[in-house]
Amino acid sequence: DQQVKQNSPSLSVQEGRISILNCDYTNSMFDYFLWYKKYPAEGPTFLISISSIKDKNEDGRFTVFLNKSAKHLSLHIVPSQPGDSAVYFCAASSNAGNMLTFGGGTRLMVKP
Amino acid sequence: EPEVTQTPSHQVTQMGQEVILRCVPISNHLYFYWYRQILGQKVEFLVSFYNNEISEKSEIFDDQFSVERPDGSNVTLKIRSTKLEDSAMYFCASSEQVSNQPQHFGDGTRLSIL
């Protein structure tokens, strides 16, 4: 099942620079998208979400962009901090149901 | 900040035994979910639960699985006769509303079947 895909398993960024995490989806019924951060031995922590009626949502250092025509979303973190080092998952759902479909995750490492 | 709590954090069970995983959702949340993550694989949806009824379930959620809200606070996931392939992290989540609302996750129960 590859309905939500994160093509980069890992990303390394210098502290203070921008981190860009990408996510692609195939199901055109998806209309709500979320990003979660996960530390080892913890559950996914909700970061930010976006509805399909928008193309951008911002919350502090985190911005999510949605390109519906390309079925692509991205998470921008700026400036990146060492505490941002974690695995980031994108997830999607459709109004027809409430299940989340997750991508495989991208491990972000922010170097001091 | 309110959080979802799950117990136990780690459960070791013999194959064929029944296991019950417990979750206390965020108090004003009405929608409850179970997911699992097998080591090295994606997080997968199992079931959603609202008003004491299953509202959606995946193919994984077969007859050996059941979900209940035995009292006003706990939500449980029962696996009747565990198999080796049930070994995974099981996450509980809750949300206020069903659509366009984030689901908030607990820290999971690591289930190991021997």
Side-chain angles (χ1 to χ4, degrees), chain A residues 77-102:
Chain A
I77 307 172
V78 56
S80 302
Q81 299 172 352
D84 296 329
S85 298
V87 178
Y88 289 77
F89 292 97
C90 68
S93 68
S94 73
N95 207 32
N98 45 24
M99 61 175 279
L100 293 180
T101 301
F102 280 83

mmCIF file of all heavy atoms in Angstrom, chain A residues 77-102:
data_model
loop_
_atom_site.group_PDB
_atom_site.id
_atom_site.type_symbol
_atom_site.label_atom_id
_atom_site.label_comp_id
_atom_site.label_asym_id
_atom_site.label_seq_id
_atom_site.Cartn_x
_atom_site.Cartn_y
_atom_site.Cartn_z
ATOM 1 N N ILE A 77 10.742 23.510 8.167
ATOM 2 C CA ILE A 77 11.090 23.873 9.537
ATOM 3 C C ILE A 77 12.216 24.890 9.448
ATOM 4 O O ILE A 77 13.294 24.607 8.904
ATOM 5 C CB ILE A 77 11.580 22.649 10.339
ATOM 6 C CG1 ILE A 77 10.558 21.503 10.268
ATOM 7 C CG2 ILE A 77 11.833 23.042 11.799
ATOM 8 C CD1 ILE A 77 11.061 20.198 10.886
ATOM 9 N N VAL A 78 11.914 26.098 9.961
ATOM 10 C CA VAL A 78 12.968 27.111 9.892
ATOM 11 C C VAL A 78 12.863 28.058 11.083
ATOM 12 O O VAL A 78 11.759 28.538 11.384
ATOM 13 C CB VAL A 78 12.892 27.881 8.549
ATOM 14 C CG1 VAL A 78 11.528 28.490 8.341
ATOM 15 C CG2 VAL A 78 13.949 28.944 8.442
ATOM 16 N N PRO A 79 13.951 28.315 11.805
ATOM 17 C CA PRO A 79 15.228 27.630 11.660
ATOM 18 C C PRO A 79 15.209 26.262 12.333
ATOM 19 O O PRO A 79 14.519 26.071 13.332
ATOM 20 C CB PRO A 79 16.182 28.576 12.410
ATOM 21 C CG PRO A 79 15.332 29.189 13.473
ATOM 22 C CD PRO A 79 13.950 29.321 12.875
ATOM 23 N N SER A 80 15.966 25.332 11.799
ATOM 24 C CA SER A 80 16.032 23.998 12.383
ATOM 25 C C SER A 80 16.868 24.039 13.664
ATOM 26 O O SER A 80 17.848 24.781 13.774
ATOM 27 C CB SER A 80 16.674 23.019 11.397
ATOM 28 O OG SER A 80 15.943 22.988 10.196
ATOM 29 N N GLN A 81 16.444 23.203 14.629
ATOM 30 C CA GLN A 81 17.139 23.128 15.916
ATOM 31 C C GLN A 81 17.503 21.669 16.195
ATOM 32 O O GLN A 81 16.805 20.756 15.730
ATOM 33 C CB GLN A 81 16.225 23.648 17.036
ATOM 34 C CG GLN A 81 15.802 25.098 16.869
ATOM 35 C CD GLN A 81 14.754 25.533 17.870
ATOM 36 O OE1 GLN A 81 14.216 24.722 18.622
ATOM 37 N NE2 GLN A 81 14.439 26.822 17.878
ATOM 38 N N PRO A 82 18.553 21.432 16.984
ATOM 39 C CA PRO A 82 18.931 20.039 17.282
ATOM 40 C C PRO A 82 17.784 19.222 17.890
ATOM 41 O O PRO A 82 17.658 18.033 17.616
ATOM 42 C CB PRO A 82 20.090 20.203 18.273
ATOM 43 C CG PRO A 82 20.716 21.512 17.898
ATOM 44 C CD PRO A 82 19.548 22.393 17.489
ATOM 45 N N GLY A 83 16.926 19.861 18.669
ATOM 46 C CA GLY A 83 15.776 19.184 19.261
ATOM 47 C C GLY A 83 14.733 18.737 18.245
ATOM 48 O O GLY A 83 13.840 17.957 18.575
ATOM 49 N N ASP A 84 14.859 19.213 16.999
ATOM 50 C CA ASP A 84 13.955 18.777 15.936
ATOM 51 C C ASP A 84 14.350 17.412 15.391
ATOM 52 O O ASP A 84 13.602 16.815 14.602
ATOM 53 C CB ASP A 84 13.951 19.784 14.778
ATOM 54 C CG ASP A 84 13.418 21.144 15.180
ATOM 55 O OD1 ASP A 84 12.544 21.209 16.070
ATOM 56 O OD2 ASP A 84 13.878 22.152 14.594
ATOM 57 N N SER A 85 15.498 16.912 15.776
ATOM 58 C CA SER A 85 15.946 15.602 15.291
ATOM 59 C C SER A 85 14.975 14.523 15.753
ATOM 60 O O SER A 85 14.785 14.310 16.952
ATOM 61 C CB SER A 85 17.363 15.300 15.803
ATOM 62 O OG SER A 85 18.282 16.250 15.311
ATOM 63 N N ALA A 86 14.355 13.856 14.797
ATOM 64 C CA ALA A 86 13.307 12.863 15.066
ATOM 65 C C ALA A 86 12.908 12.242 13.732
ATOM 66 O O ALA A 86 13.428 12.621 12.683
ATOM 67 C CB ALA A 86 12.089 13.529 15.712
ATOM 68 N N VAL A 87 11.973 11.317 13.790
ATOM 69 C CA VAL A 87 11.364 10.791 12.563
ATOM 70 C C VAL A 87 10.064 11.553 12.318
ATOM 71 O O VAL A 87 9.255 11.714 13.235
ATOM 72 C CB VAL A 87 11.095 9.282 12.671
ATOM 73 C CG1 VAL A 87 10.411 8.773 11.402
ATOM 74 C CG2 VAL A 87 12.402 8.522 12.908
ATOM 75 N N TYR A 88 9.879 12.034 11.106
ATOM 76 C CA TYR A 88 8.689 12.794 10.736
ATOM 77 C C TYR A 88 7.824 11.960 9.797
ATOM 78 O O TYR A 88 8.302 11.438 8.780
ATOM 79 C CB TYR A 88 9.092 14.111 10.072
ATOM 80 C CG TYR A 88 9.679 15.089 11.054
ATOM 81 C CD1 TYR A 88 10.982 14.939 11.510
ATOM 82 C CD2 TYR A 88 8.919 16.134 11.574
ATOM 83 C CE1 TYR A 88 11.523 15.815 12.443
ATOM 84 C CE2 TYR A 88 9.451 17.016 12.501
ATOM 85 C CZ TYR A 88 10.753 16.847 12.931
ATOM 86 O OH TYR A 88 11.279 17.704 13.864
ATOM 87 N N PHE A 89 6.548 11.867 10.159
ATOM 88 C CA PHE A 89 5.591 11.126 9.343
ATOM 89 C C PHE A 89 4.563 12.085 8.763
ATOM 90 O O PHE A 89 4.037 12.946 9.474
ATOM 91 C CB PHE A 89 4.832 10.104 10.199
ATOM 92 C CG PHE A 89 5.675 8.971 10.709
ATOM 93 C CD1 PHE A 89 6.213 9.009 11.986
ATOM 94 C CD2 PHE A 89 5.922 7.859 9.923
ATOM 95 C CE1 PHE A 89 6.986 7.963 12.469
ATOM 96 C CE2 PHE A 89 6.692 6.802 10.401
ATOM 97 C CZ PHE A 89 7.224 6.865 11.675
ATOM 98 N N CYS A 90 4.261 11.933 7.490
ATOM 99 C CA CYS A 90 3.063 12.583 6.973
ATOM 100 C C CYS A 90 1.931 11.555 6.982
ATOM 101 O O CYS A 90 2.174 10.345 6.935
ATOM 102 C CB CYS A 90 3.275 13.168 5.592
ATOM 103 S SG CYS A 90 3.518 11.982 4.277
ATOM 104 N N ALA A 91 0.722 12.051 7.095
ATOM 105 C CA ALA A 91 -0.459 11.196 7.133
ATOM 106 C C ALA A 91 -1.595 11.914 6.427
ATOM 107 O O ALA A 91 -1.605 13.140 6.325
ATOM 108 C CB ALA A 91 -0.840 10.856 8.578
ATOM 109 N N ALA A 92 -2.550 11.135 5.951
ATOM 110 C CA ALA A 92 -3.662 11.712 5.206
ATOM 111 C C ALA A 92 -4.940 10.975 5.536
ATOM 112 O O ALA A 92 -4.918 9.792 5.901
ATOM 113 C CB ALA A 92 -3.383 11.627 3.703
ATOM 114 N N SER A 93 -6.050 11.703 5.428
ATOM 115 C CA SER A 93 -7.352 11.069 5.599
ATOM 116 C C SER A 93 -8.338 11.692 4.625
ATOM 117 O O SER A 93 -8.093 12.765 4.059
ATOM 118 C CB SER A 93 -7.868 11.230 7.035
ATOM 119 O OG SER A 93 -8.179 12.580 7.292
ATOM 120 N N SER A 94 -9.452 11.003 4.423
ATOM 121 C CA SER A 94 -10.509 11.534 3.573
ATOM 122 C C SER A 94 -11.767 11.731 4.393
ATOM 123 O O SER A 94 -11.938 11.073 5.431
ATOM 124 C CB SER A 94 -10.794 10.596 2.406
ATOM 125 O OG SER A 94 -11.468 9.453 2.886
ATOM 126 N N ASN A 95 -12.610 12.640 3.967
ATOM 127 C CA ASN A 95 -13.837 12.920 4.713
ATOM 128 C C ASN A 95 -14.761 11.715 4.749
ATOM 129 O O ASN A 95 -15.658 11.628 5.566
ATOM 130 C CB ASN A 95 -14.551 14.119 4.086
ATOM 131 C CG ASN A 95 -15.399 14.852 5.092
ATOM 132 O OD1 ASN A 95 -15.068 14.905 6.271
ATOM 133 N ND2 ASN A 95 -16.510 15.383 4.638
ATOM 134 N N ALA A 96 -14.499 10.780 3.845
ATOM 135 C CA ALA A 96 -15.334 9.577 3.806
ATOM 136 C C ALA A 96 -15.017 8.640 4.959
ATOM 137 O O ALA A 96 -15.782 7.743 5.249
ATOM 138 C CB ALA A 96 -15.141 8.859 2.477
ATOM 139 N N GLY A 97 -13.930 8.839 5.605
ATOM 140 C CA GLY A 97 -13.533 7.974 6.711
ATOM 141 C C GLY A 97 -12.612 8.704 7.636
ATOM 142 O O GLY A 97 -12.199 9.820 7.352
ATOM 143 N N ASN A 98 -12.307 8.112 8.751
ATOM 144 C CA ASN A 98 -11.463 8.799 9.709
ATOM 145 C C ASN A 98 -10.116 8.118 9.931
ATOM 146 O O ASN A 98 -9.346 8.539 10.760
ATOM 147 C CB ASN A 98 -12.190 8.964 11.036
ATOM 148 C CG ASN A 98 -12.881 7.693 11.463
ATOM 149 O OD1 ASN A 98 -12.494 6.615 11.056
ATOM 150 N ND2 ASN A 98 -13.913 7.823 12.271
ATOM 151 N N MET A 99 -9.824 7.110 9.147
ATOM 152 C CA MET A 99 -8.543 6.449 9.312
ATOM 153 C C MET A 99 -7.440 7.311 8.726
ATOM 154 O O MET A 99 -7.638 7.986 7.709
ATOM 155 C CB MET A 99 -8.565 5.086 8.631
ATOM 156 C CG MET A 99 -8.814 5.126 7.147
ATOM 157 S SD MET A 99 -8.675 3.497 6.388
ATOM 158 C CE MET A 99 -6.919 3.360 6.204
ATOM 159 N N LEU A 100 -6.294 7.301 9.376
ATOM 160 C CA LEU A 100 -5.114 7.962 8.843
ATOM 161 C C LEU A 100 -4.276 6.944 8.083
ATOM 162 O O LEU A 100 -4.068 5.823 8.556
ATOM 163 C CB LEU A 100 -4.266 8.557 9.962
ATOM 164 C CG LEU A 100 -4.856 9.730 10.745
ATOM 165 C CD1 LEU A 100 -3.875 10.191 11.816
ATOM 166 C CD2 LEU A 100 -5.212 10.878 9.819
ATOM 167 N N THR A 101 -3.800 7.360 6.907
ATOM 168 C CA THR A 101 -2.854 6.572 6.137
ATOM 169 C C THR A 101 -1.503 7.263 6.254
ATOM 170 O O THR A 101 -1.386 8.449 5.924
ATOM 171 C CB THR A 101 -3.282 6.467 4.673
ATOM 172 O OG1 THR A 101 -4.571 5.854 4.598
ATOM 173 C CG2 THR A 101 -2.288 5.615 3.889
ATOM 174 N N PHE A 102 -0.518 6.532 6.739
ATOM 175 C CA PHE A 102 0.788 7.110 7.028
ATOM 176 C C PHE A 102 1.797 6.840 5.923
ATOM 177 O O PHE A 102 1.753 5.800 5.252
ATOM 178 C CB PHE A 102 1.352 6.514 8.330
ATOM 179 C CG PHE A 102 0.788 7.120 9.577
ATOM 180 C CD1 PHE A 102 -0.429 6.691 10.090
ATOM 181 C CD2 PHE A 102 1.478 8.117 10.243
ATOM 182 C CE1 PHE A 102 -0.954 7.252 11.242
ATOM 183 C CE2 PHE A 102 0.969 8.685 11.394
ATOM 184 C CZ PHE A 102 -0.254 8.246 11.899
#
